[in-house]
Amino acid sequence: MRIVTFVAALLIATSLYAAVPTPAEEKEVLAAMNAFAEAVAKHDVAALQKLMHDELVYSHSDTRAQTKADLIREAQEGRGPGGILLADAKVHVYGNTAIIRGRVGGGARGVQTSSPHAVAVWVKGPGGWQVVARTATRPLDPAAARPGAGRSSQ
């Protein structure tokens, strides 16, 4: 039993250590994220083709979900977000998979405390890093988070 406990603890410790990227890994993943943000802002179809995985699911904080084809079509039509800004980015790397989380915003307002939280999953293949999944959620309104908020006084 002690061997099983030791092996389990070793595996857990190893997996936690693997999540901490080296400075070079973090720089490489964030460079891919920044290239993606720039490609979105410029409607750069060629760059988007390279940076988005074919199986991409891109979920917005308003519950819309888009595929790679949807985002490419928007870029070809000159539509879509005018840009993506990322603040408070945290990067975790697990082999050829990276997770970036932080707050996202765009436009003149930039990133604010009310900006959505986003998580993006990137995979590294022969062509470099590609985003395969992204989701964003809006922070809870502090007034709605109070106990009893929204309840009638009856």
Side-chain angles (χ1 to χ4, degrees):
M1 182 65 177
R2 286 184 180 182
I3 298 275
V4 171
T5 303
F6 174 75
V7 170
L10 184 62
L11 288 172
I12 290 169
T14 303
S15 68
L16 291 175
Y17 175 75
V20 179
T22 66
E25 288 173 325
E26 184 172 357
K27 184 177 179 181
E28 187 179 351
V29 174
L30 287 175
M33 178 65 209
N34 290 333
F36 176 72
E38 186 175 321
V40 167
K42 294 181 176 179
H43 306 293
D44 185 340
V45 174
L48 290 171
Q49 289 280 8
K50 180 181 180 224
L51 291 163
M52 294 188 297
H53 193 277
D54 288 341
E55 296 177 19
L56 173 67
V57 176
Y58 195 93
S59 299
H60 299 270
S61 62
D62 64 4
T63 71
R64 287 179 302 128
Q66 294 181 292
T67 64
K68 179 178 181 175
D70 295 330
L71 293 169
I72 293 294
R73 186 172 36 260
E74 278 189 355
Q76 289 169 333
E77 296 170 355
R79 297 185 303 117
I84 300 171
L85 301 172
L86 179 66
D88 305 324
K90 304 284 187 263
V91 178
H92 304 276
V93 177
Y94 306 89
N96 69 340
T97 304
I99 298 172
I100 303 174
R101 62 185 175 88
R103 289 189 179 275
V104 293
R109 290 182 13 182
V111 180
Q112 301 177 0
T113 56
S114 62
S115 293
H117 296 270
V119 176
V121 180
W122 290 75
V123 292
K124 188 174 186 179
W129 289 100
Q130 291 183 308
V131 61
V132 70
R134 186 267 197 184
T135 189
T137 56
R138 293 211 174 273
L140 186 61
D141 177 1
R146 288 193 324 264
R151 295 184 192 159
S152 68
S153 57
Q154 295 179 12

